[in-house]
Amino acid sequence: MLRSCLPGSPPSLRLFYRAPPPPTSTLRFRVSPFHVDPSTPPAGAMARPHPSLEVVGGSRHDLFLPVLEALQSPYSPFPLIGWNRHLETIFAAFFRSLPDVRLRRHCLRTPDGGSVALDWVSGDDRRIPPDSPVLILLPGLTGGSQDTYVRHMLVRARSKGFRVVVFNSRGCADSPVTTPQFYSASFTGDIREVVAHVGNLYPKANLYAIGWSLGANILVRYLGQECHTSPLSGAVSLCNPFNLVIADEDFRKGFNNVYDKSLARALRNIFRKHLLLFEDMDGEYNIPLAASAKTVKEFDEGLTRVSFGFKSADEYYANSSSSDTIKYVQIPLLCIQAENDPIAPARGIPREDIKENPNCLLIVTPKGGHLGWVAGDEAPIGAPWTDTVVMEFLEHLERRETSELHLNSIKSGTSCQSSDTMQLAEL
């Protein structure tokens, strides 16, 4: 099975909540006005991204670029593999190495009776301090903690002191299905429950999240809906299809049919394991069509769009795009896309909304395929090129959050005698 994800998605409960538009004033980053980050170069020493990369974003010049050192080097695809988008996508899916990590699973029950599986690294609850930053990983369609791109990100983040948990959606990575609902591109209820649960487990930790493809679409929709209330301190979106109508148009053209059939097969396999839950469904459900779907759109037409109250798969795609909500995001958000992505078309990227949002930064690489990015020091079978950039971004945010916390403590006079705090204050 090709491990990648795309626009069409499996089902879950329809989200009836629609966030009101944010106020006209834009909430900027939570950084104390008197704080100067020691990692930021002084004025006049502004780093510039390499010309091989497209960089767009309202805050690109003064907040992010100085610390994203990986962007100063050219993006150099691995010879042969990295020059064809389909070859790169398939190579990464089948031949990228899989880090060996022992995971401990916790099944979280949702308010509607459904279940999602949270995979934590075994032993980290004892090894990592409770105030260490927590990173939530959202894989793509039918993806989970078994995927290579997820494992590589997990290993790298842990090496930097992050506690990591993989959020496996309903039915994915053998996550249990306990109701006749899966998940979808439109449904953010499960990620809302997961973020709240993780935050309750580690109330002293800063929370971050990374989403890939369909997981990125869900994550960005959640951030737009929870623009004033999300406890996340930062997030990353990778290979996001953004505009699902455009993605659907391209997905059924030419060689992309290979991905369509592969993902449809994965959806069928998950669905058939839990077919008994769906046998007595009333209404417009077409269970035989979903069980034998040859394309993702057929699966969505037979099951997903009905589960979430849409009249058609086309209406489902039109109302589930994260391109509609990214303008409302009010926490630091890094988006990385590949110009030649066959599943998340570059023409669907909401460049103008990203450019006008001071909280967002977009990086577009000239090559990369879908979930490929076979480039960098670990190519061809090691971690994707993006992992280095992502960690530079997240570590920068964590330094800012931690420094602000200490400086606020100094200002309030609650920890003036702490030698550690005094050292931080001198930075």
Side-chain angles (χ1 to χ4, degrees), residues 15-319:
L15 180 64
F16 291 96
Y17 167 76
R18 184 180 296 275
T24 54
S25 61
T26 303
L27 177 65
R28 295 180 182 269
F29 298 118
R30 295 170 290 176
V31 182
S32 302
F34 55 82
H35 171 47
V36 178
D37 191 329
S39 65
T40 304
M46 185 59 63
R48 295 182 180 275
H50 192 271
S52 62
L53 301 166
E54 177 189 356
V55 180
V56 176
S59 59
R60 60 179 180 172
H61 294 300
D62 58 343
L63 292 175
F64 294 145
L65 288 187
V67 298
L68 301 182
E69 296 181 2
L71 302 186
Q72 298 174 35
S73 300
Y75 181 86
S76 301
F78 193 80
L80 299 180
I81 296 171
W83 288 99
N84 179 279
R85 62 180 185 168
H86 298 301
L87 177 60
E88 183 169 15
T89 299
I90 294 172
F91 180 91
F94 286 99
F95 300 105
R96 177 166 278 149
S97 60
L98 180 67
D100 185 17
V101 181
R102 293 184 59 197
L103 299 174
R104 171 180 57 84
R105 172 158 293 187
H106 168 71
C107 291
L108 177 66
R109 184 59 63 96
T110 59
D112 70 316
S115 300
V116 298
L118 301 180
D119 286 341
W120 304 83
V121 178
S122 180
D124 274 3
D125 54 334
R126 299 184 303 273
R127 287 192 292 262
I128 299 180
D131 59 348
S132 297
V134 181
L135 179 60
I136 303 170
L137 305 182
L138 287 76
L141 178 61
T142 74
S145 54
Q146 78 282 357
D147 287 291
T148 58
Y149 62 89
V150 174
R151 292 282 186 94
H152 277 287
M153 190 72 255
L154 182 154
V155 169
R156 186 177 294 259
R158 284 187 71 243
S159 72
K160 301 296 184 179
F162 284 68
R163 186 190 311 275
V164 186
V165 58
V166 182
F167 165 28
N168 300 290
S169 293
R170 307 182 189 204
C172 296
D174 294 322
S175 179
V177 177
T178 52
T179 65
Q181 293 285 349
F182 286 141
Y183 63 101
S184 78
S186 65
F187 181 56
T188 57
D190 283 351
I191 180 59
R192 189 174 289 106
E193 291 297 321
V194 169
V195 170
H197 173 75
V198 173
N200 289 333
L201 287 178
Y202 299 100
K204 296 182 179 180
N206 295 318
L207 306 182
Y208 304 91
I210 301 174
W212 289 266
S213 200
L214 186 72
N217 188 79
I218 294 171
L219 176 60
V220 174
R221 280 180 59 81
Y222 160 77
L223 293 176
Q225 292 170 354
E226 299 288 313
C227 55
H228 296 299
T229 58
S230 172
L232 294 178
S233 296
V236 179
S237 164
L238 301 164
C239 287
N240 192 336
F242 280 118
N243 188 316
L244 301 188
V245 174
I246 291 177
D248 175 60
E249 291 173 357
D250 285 17
F251 194 51
R252 291 175 283 116
K253 296 178 181 178
F255 191 84
N256 281 5
N257 286 318
V258 173
Y259 311 129
D260 196 1
K261 292 178 180 178
S262 176
L263 287 170
R265 181 167 58 252
L267 290 170
R268 290 198 314 266
N269 291 341
I270 293 174
F271 181 63
R272 288 172 179 173
K273 289 180 182 178
H274 309 285
L275 194 57
L276 290 176
L277 287 171
F278 296 85
E279 279 191 340
D280 298 324
M281 299 294 289
D282 297 324
E284 300 180 27
Y285 288 96
N286 190 334
I287 303 304
L289 177 62
S292 61
K294 305 248 182 334
T295 67
V296 171
K297 192 166 188 177
E298 284 185 357
F299 186 89
D300 289 336
E301 188 64 50
L303 191 68
T304 310
R305 64 95 181 171
V306 186
S307 296
F308 297 95
F310 297 108
K311 295 179 181 179
S312 66
D314 289 332
E315 184 184 72
Y316 160 55
Y317 298 150
N319 288 275

Side-chain angles (χ1 to χ4, degrees), residues 328-344:
Y328 302 131
V329 172
Q330 304 219 14
I331 67 168
L333 173 65
L334 173 65
C335 303
I336 309 181
Q337 303 286 123
E339 180 68 32
N340 69 344
D341 192 321
I343 295 174

